[in-house]
Amino acid sequence: MAESNAIKKSPGANNPSPVGCTSFKLRQLSRRVTQHYEKYFSGTGIKITQYSLLSHIAHLGPVMPGELARKMDMGPSTLTRNLQPLVAAGLVDVSEGADGRSRMVTLTQTGQALHQEARRNWRAAQTALNQKLGKDNVAALHDLLDQGLHVFHDDDGLE
């Protein structure tokens, strides 16, 4: 019988007291998951973090930078830094908004085409991750992460 790569509970999994630093464990997992996705994105010319940004812009349509930053749960200066290489590559356009003081972020035609192409890579990476960790575990992880984000949003007054 083939051994599954799905996450298995450790012997102390029923112990309600966490052991170790949650931040460290999340960063470890985040690095590994990022490495996993980067293997699938190596031929696209963008990183998984850039794909996420392109996806949010594609989904939200023309969007003000502040709204995009809120939806992605990042600060405005981080968003600006992350947008710069995409603007320089001709994938994203930041133009004047309706009142001249505001800005709007949109995908260029080149950005739209790259997003569609990279979406296939993302699907392959996500499918492989689901197989590696187990779909139920990935769904449970998403739920737990969403719960944690919700709690922190309640604490800081964000949406």
Side-chain angles (χ1 to χ4, degrees):
M1 185 193 241
E3 184 176 331
S4 169
N5 285 334
I7 297 173
K8 295 174 180 64
K9 289 187 176 182
S10 61
N14 293 330
N15 182 355
S17 297
V19 176
C21 176
T22 303
S23 177
F24 177 70
K25 288 180 178 289
L26 282 170
R27 290 174 61 86
Q28 278 183 307
L29 180 60
S30 179
R31 281 190 294 271
R32 290 299 187 129
V33 169
T34 298
Q35 289 167 359
H36 168 84
Y37 278 90
E38 292 298 342
K39 284 189 267 183
Y40 288 84
F41 275 78
S42 63
T44 65
I46 60 173
K47 297 178 179 200
I48 184 61
T49 52
Q50 293 171 317
Y51 173 76
S52 296
L53 187 50
L54 292 177
S55 291
H56 274 80
I57 296 167
H59 175 73
L60 296 169
V63 60
M64 292 178 16
E67 178 67 11
L68 181 58
R70 278 189 295 281
K71 293 287 186 181
M72 294 192 71
D73 215 357
M74 65 173 60
S77 62
T78 301
L79 176 65
T80 299
R81 271 193 314 279
N82 290 338
L83 281 173
Q84 287 172 346
L86 299 176
V87 170
L91 303 174
V92 171
D93 183 49
V94 180
S95 59
E96 194 172 288
D99 66 6
R101 293 180 299 170
S102 62
R103 297 276 178 249
M104 295 302 286
V105 179
T106 56
L107 291 183
T108 64
Q109 286 184 337
T110 304
Q112 291 171 7
L114 180 60
H115 176 256
Q116 288 303 313
E117 178 186 323
R119 187 174 174 89
R120 288 187 289 274
N121 297 69
W122 174 82
R123 280 190 186 121
Q126 186 65 47
T127 298
L129 185 79
N130 290 347
Q131 290 172 348
K132 185 180 228 40
L133 299 178
K135 281 175 78 173
D136 290 344
N137 288 325
V138 173
L141 178 61
H142 284 207
D143 186 51
L144 187 58
L145 292 169
D146 288 343
Q147 288 177 47
L149 286 168
H150 180 74
V151 168
F152 279 99
H153 285 175
D154 287 349
D155 286 350
D156 62 17
L158 295 177
E159 42 178 87

